[in-house]
Amino acid sequence: MKSIEKTQVAARIEQAAATVAARGNDREGLLACWRCTDYTTLRETDSPQRVAAFTQRAVEWVERGLPPMASICVYPSLVDAVGVALAEAPEGSPAEEIGITAVCGAFPSGQTYLEVKMLECAMAIENGADEIDTVMNAGAVLAGDYDLAKSELAMIREEIDGEAILKVILETGSLADPELIYRAAMLAMEAGADFIKTSTGKTQVSATPEAVVVMCQAIRDFDRLHSRRVGIKVAGGIRTPQEALLYRTIVAQELGEEWLTPERFRIGASGLLDGLAAMLTE
């Protein structure tokens, strides 16, 4: 297992924070964060009506001149509601570019039969999902059963069969140890992940700058070994524009500016866009 020097990780975070502070109110950076956001609602009280209104809000922001966000992220049974609401956007609207992400695979725990996980992914895609966020078997990783964790993801990748982008949630707050986060990231990418993602947002510890630095190291090493560039999604507890800018700066610092597009960088958030909209429209 790769050795991660924690003092070096801390130094990289300090460097990124200093860069954010020096840039101040970075409008271009804020716009880029907006474009890379998966606008997310994952409440137990979600309903087709509530999700339709949530999606309509996203469309209204675009109609007021803000760029389209990367996607709307919902539970798989609510993919239809997002699709219907997006279809009501005016013809030719940039809102047509907004994708649909479904959290699948027994989100957030991932604790069910593999066949159920695969079926849920397939049904979400059939109903209109462009992207699948699925949960890695963190229990298997913590138990050292790396083959099981990797094989489950490989089967889900095969089920998706190129019909959707696959983002794999590592649940870094539960893994905690930097070396284990690095190992899980490598396993997910070896299994075919298009993105690796920090968290479900349903655990006590979600995204942290430390975890994101380690994940970026894994992505960089994987690219060197396999010549395949994997994206990164930061999710869980990101509420302020400054937090979003910090994570974007870490990714730029560790992986390069070429990662700062929706094709390789995402932020999963709900309340974040309220703050971003206020700053971008003032």
Side-chain angles (χ1 to χ4, degrees):
M1 188 179 293
K2 182 180 172 97
S3 176
I4 305 293
E5 180 52 60
K6 294 182 181 179
T7 57
Q8 291 180 0
V9 171
R12 301 300 287 169
I13 294 167
E14 287 181 14
Q15 183 178 344
T19 300
V20 172
R23 288 178 179 168
N25 188 3
D26 180 6
R27 181 176 175 81
E28 286 306 310
L30 293 172
L31 277 169
C33 288
W34 179 284
R35 292 188 188 94
C36 291
T37 295
D38 289 339
Y39 187 38
T40 302
T41 179
L42 296 171
R43 298 183 181 183
E44 66 278 3
T45 54
D46 281 343
S47 64
Q49 294 79 11
R50 185 179 182 280
V51 166
F54 184 84
T55 304
Q56 183 57 39
R57 190 175 193 204
V59 173
E60 288 171 359
W61 272 324
V62 174
E63 291 305 301
R64 283 161 45 195
L66 288 168
M69 60 288 294
S71 78
I72 307 290
C73 180
V74 295
Y75 283 111
S77 60
L78 296 166
V79 165
D80 275 346
V82 178
V84 170
L86 287 176
E88 293 175 354
E91 186 175 352
S93 167
E96 294 176 348
E97 299 173 25
I98 299 173
I100 304 175
T101 296
V103 293
C104 293
F107 181 94
S109 71
Q111 296 289 358
T112 191
Y113 301 104
L114 175 59
E115 293 82 0
V116 174
K117 297 180 185 183
M118 293 166 63
L119 179 60
E120 191 173 56
C121 292
M123 291 178 68
I125 293 169
E126 184 177 347
N127 287 329
D130 306 293
E131 307 183 4
I132 298 295
D133 285 17
T134 195
V135 189
M136 191 174 201
N137 190 332
V141 175
L142 287 164
D145 196 346
Y146 305 128
D147 288 341
L148 174 61
K150 181 177 175 180
S151 65
E152 284 191 354
L153 292 175
M155 291 294 288
I156 290 171
R157 169 82 274 175
E158 185 176 341
E159 179 68 32
I160 290 173
D161 193 27
E163 294 184 39
I165 291 169
L166 176 62
K167 308 193 205 91
V168 173
I169 305 165
L170 307 183
E171 204 66 287
T172 54
S174 296
L175 300 180
D177 182 75
E179 283 83 5
L180 202 55
I181 292 170
Y182 181 93
R183 170 65 71 89
M186 294 298 282
L187 290 170
M189 291 186 286
E190 289 165 0
D194 297 305
F195 279 73
I196 51 174
K197 175 180 171 182
T198 54
S199 320
T200 60
K202 302 294 186 180
T203 53
Q204 187 172 1
V205 177
S206 292
T208 64
E210 292 79 8
V212 173
V213 170
V214 172
M215 289 166 67
C216 286
Q217 290 178 354
I219 289 170
R220 188 170 61 239
D221 290 348
F222 185 82
D223 184 29
R224 281 201 203 103
L225 290 169
H226 302 283
S227 298
R228 186 167 78 86
R229 295 184 170 185
V230 175
I232 183 167
K233 178 173 175 177
V234 186
I238 304 165
R239 296 181 178 87
T240 70
Q242 289 305 110
E243 287 174 312
L245 285 173
L246 175 61
Y247 285 117
R248 181 176 183 270
T249 303
I250 289 172
V251 172
Q253 175 180 276
E254 302 301 317
L255 295 172
E257 296 285 330
E258 61 267 34
W259 252 266
L260 300 183
T261 68
E263 289 71 37
R264 294 203 187 107
F265 175 56
R266 298 291 180 86
I267 300 170
S270 52
L272 171 65
L273 290 193
D274 293 312
L276 283 175
M279 294 182 73
L280 291 169
T281 57
E282 63 184 11

